Amino acid sequence: MSLDTRKFEVLRISILSLCNFACVYCAPKEKENHSPKKTHNQYLTPELLNTNLTRLLPHINIKEVHLTGGEPTLHKDLIQLIQIVKQHSIEQIALTSNGNFDKALLEKMKSAGLTRMNFSLDSISQKGFETLSDRKNPVFQILDQIETAQKIGFDIKINSTILRGFNESEILDLLEWAGKRSIPIRFLEFMKMGPLHKEHPLYFYSAEEIRNQIKTRYQIKNYPTPQDSTAQYFVTGEGYIFGMIANHTEPFCEGCNRLRMDSQGRIYGCLSDETSFELPDSSDEIQNTLNQAMLTKKTKFIGSELSMKYIGG
């Protein structure tokens, strides 16, 4: 697919940079000051979200808005942000969370218009969870949160980032836990982003290694995968559905239809490019800005020193 035919159709918005975890691949405490460009917590205001959606929608057919962070459930105006997206007649509204929030928020988000939740879950063992998140929260509370979200009717997916030396031994356990609950799980190659940008090769565990490990226990075959999906899906003989998000070894850049927005309202065309653009007032200028953002898209994922918490995990 050429840049001439590619369209922005999914808007991923980092609504705040704050997170209540300090995961080793995103915000390790020993490198918390690694990004001098972003030194304070930033929040997207409801007013700016509404303004930017009003400016963008005449130019883009947005199929989905995905709210990310940081940890988006920490945003004090989260429900209002969801309502604003809903008011712009966007049917698919998703949110990615680490699951560490008040359970009462689930019903509030659903009533506001949220349709899907992606949970980041890198370990189901207490020791592994504490090591990866740098927090001592009981992991069973996170697992219970995921099951509750499923019970009240959210479309659920689990994302597991695999790091060599940390959680590659939990791949089969994660797949079994999700599969037994009929929840699709996506295994992510650790991306060359943020504080561990230079150390990336030390922790990288490839999609092929993940699949090969799964094959030691399960028979797998291809599962129908949407053309614009970031994941390649498979299914086991037991019906467990899992996906591989392999930015590095099996890149999907040519089909990427994502536009990103940070908590200051600036847009990005590509995860591998730190270039950002402010949305202008003029309609003609907005189209030109979107064209410029599209030109930043790469044909191969190369990563960036910008932490995912600023551009949306």
Side-chain angles (χ1 to χ4, degrees):
M1 187 183 297
S2 70
L3 284 174
D4 292 336
T5 58
R6 215 189 294 189
K7 296 181 291 185
F8 289 124
E9 295 177 312
V10 174
L11 177 62
R12 293 184 65 93
I13 308 174
S14 177
I15 63 174
L16 82 172
S17 59
L18 180 68
C19 188
N20 46 14
F21 286 2
C23 295
V24 294
Y25 52 83
C26 182
K29 57 187 175 184
E30 67 272 14
K31 292 195 174 189
E32 57 187 7
N33 295 318
H34 86 282
S35 182
K37 298 178 186 177
K38 310 276 189 177
T39 55
H40 60 280
N41 293 320
Q42 302 168 341
Y43 293 81
L44 179 67
T45 66
E47 294 76 17
L48 183 55
L49 174 62
N50 187 56
T51 296
N52 278 5
L53 286 177
T54 300
R55 290 175 177 174
L56 284 170
L57 282 167
H59 303 274
I60 309 176
N61 179 22
I62 299 177
K63 298 191 301 184
E64 175 188 311
V65 165
H66 197 126
L67 304 178
T68 70
E71 171 51 41
T73 60
L74 295 175
H75 199 298
K76 63 183 178 64
D77 297 318
L78 174 61
I79 299 306
Q80 188 179 355
L81 296 178
I82 296 170
Q83 290 170 336
I84 287 170
V85 177
K86 184 70 173 177
Q87 287 164 7
H88 282 276
S89 301
I90 295 168
E91 293 186 5
Q92 295 297 315
I93 310 173
L95 179 142
T96 292
S97 173
N98 59 28
N100 185 32
F101 58 85
D102 189 329
K103 191 169 291 187
L105 188 58
L106 285 170
E107 287 285 3
K108 293 177 183 177
M109 292 190 293
K110 196 167 193 305
S111 296
L114 195 71
T115 59
R116 191 177 88 238
M117 294 196 69
N118 289 0
F119 285 93
S120 299
L121 179 69
D122 302 324
S123 172
I124 58 172
S125 73
Q126 186 60 36
K127 182 179 178 181
F129 173 78
E130 290 183 13
T131 300
L132 281 155
S133 68
D134 194 33
R135 294 294 183 268
K136 295 189 180 297
N137 307 52
V139 70
F140 77 84
Q141 291 182 353
I142 307 296
L143 302 180
D144 184 57
Q145 191 84 288
I146 296 171
E147 291 186 285
T148 301
Q150 184 185 37
K151 286 174 185 174
I152 69 172
F154 279 115
D155 182 13
I156 301 290
K157 290 188 177 73
I158 291 173
N159 293 334
S160 297
T161 299
I162 305 301
L163 276 75
R164 188 179 302 279
F166 282 90
N167 62 342
E168 75 271 32
S169 63
E170 292 201 53
I171 291 168
L172 294 174
D173 292 339
L174 284 160
L175 175 58
E176 182 178 26
W177 188 90
K180 283 185 173 179
R181 290 157 181 81
S182 300
I183 301 174
I185 183 169
R186 285 102 62 89
F187 294 106
L188 285 71
E189 289 183 340
F190 168 47
M191 290 190 288
K192 193 176 182 179
M193 296 285 297
L196 296 184
H197 186 266
K198 293 179 180 176
E199 295 97 328
H200 180 262
L202 296 175
Y203 305 111
F204 183 72
Y205 198 80
S206 72
E208 183 177 10
E209 291 174 290
I210 296 170
R211 268 194 306 270
N212 285 342
Q213 194 178 143
I214 291 171
K215 288 177 183 177
T216 64
R217 183 182 297 179
Y218 300 102
Q219 296 286 328
I220 69 172
K221 60 182 180 179
N222 290 335
Y223 187 79
T225 301
Q227 187 175 3
D228 60 356
S229 174
T230 57
Q232 175 65 44
Y233 283 96
F234 302 87
V235 62
T236 72
E238 295 78 4
Y240 301 169
I241 298 169
F242 69 95
M244 308 297 307
I245 301 181
N247 293 64
H248 289 276
T249 62
E250 300 164 13
F252 42 83
C253 296
E254 289 191 0
C256 178
N257 63 353
R258 285 148 184 79
L259 176 68
R260 292 173 179 267
M261 183 189 301
D262 68 16
S263 55
Q264 302 303 291
R266 298 184 68 84
I267 62 170
Y268 301 73
C270 182
L271 262 184
S272 290
D273 197 310
E274 293 185 31
T275 305
S276 64
F277 305 87
E278 186 172 354
L279 279 177
D281 297 329
S282 162
S283 179
D284 291 342
E285 291 179 15
I286 288 174
Q287 188 58 57
N288 181 60
T289 300
L290 288 169
N291 293 341
Q292 292 300 310
M294 181 63 78
L295 289 173
T296 68
K297 283 194 176 294
K298 307 292 185 284
T299 57
K300 182 178 180 182
F301 182 81
I302 58 175
S304 163
E305 291 189 23
L306 188 64
S307 174
M308 290 287 280
K309 70 179 184 177
Y310 296 115
I311 193 172

